[in-house]
C-alpha cells in the first residue's frame, strides 16, 4: 500500500501519528478539525499536522490524493486514489 510504504522510514511526530491513526480508523469519512483536535491539539495545530503528513505521504502535497480537505467538513483519508 503506497500510503504506508512511503514514510515508514520517516520519523513521525506524535501528533502526526495520532492524526493518521484517527483518520485511518475513519477512512473514507470526513473528520472535522474539532474531532481531530481531540486527538492531540486544538485549533490550527491540526492544520499544521495535516500539512506535515501530506509532505510525507503525498507525491505532491499541494495536490493531495490520499489526505484531502473536504470544504466545510474537515479532512478525509481516501482509502485509495482511484
Amino acid at each position: 500500500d503506497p500510503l504506508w510504504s512511503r514514510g515508514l522510514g520517516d520519523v513521525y511526530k506524535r501528533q502526526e501519528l495520532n492524526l493518521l491513526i484517527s483518520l485511518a480508523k475513519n477512512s473514507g469519512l470526513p473528520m472535522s478539525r474539532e474531532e481531530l483536535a481531540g486527538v492531540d491539539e486544538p485549533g490550527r495545530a491540526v492544520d499544521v499536522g495535516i500539512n506535515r503528513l501530506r509532505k510525507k505521504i503525498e507525491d505532491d502535497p499541494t495536490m493531495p490524493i490520499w489526505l484531502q480537505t473536504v470544504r466545510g467538513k474537515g479532512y478525509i483519508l481516501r482509502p485509495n486514489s482511484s
Side-chain angles (χ1 to χ4, degrees):
D1 182 53
L3 179 63
W4 291 104
S5 66
R6 262 186 238 155
L8 283 180
D10 292 349
V11 176
Y12 287 100
K13 294 187 176 200
R14 181 175 51 92
Q15 179 206 29
E16 295 166 353
L17 278 175
N18 288 341
L19 287 170
L20 188 56
I21 289 167
S22 183
L23 287 161
K25 286 181 180 178
N26 294 283
S27 184
L29 300 172
M31 294 189 71
S32 69
R33 189 180 284 125
E34 290 77 22
E35 290 171 311
L36 291 168
V39 172
D40 201 359
E41 298 188 29
R44 293 295 195 189
V46 170
D47 298 335
V48 172
I50 293 292
N51 286 330
R52 286 185 188 141
L53 278 173
R54 283 181 176 153
K55 288 178 183 176
K56 292 180 180 181
I57 66 173
E58 299 285 356
D59 288 329
D60 180 359
T62 64
M63 299 292 291
I65 294 171
W66 300 101
L67 185 50
Q68 297 180 343
T69 301
V70 180
R71 190 176 187 129
K73 301 262 184 180
Y75 298 100
I76 188 169
L77 182 65
R78 298 282 181 197
N80 60 50
S81 62
S82 312

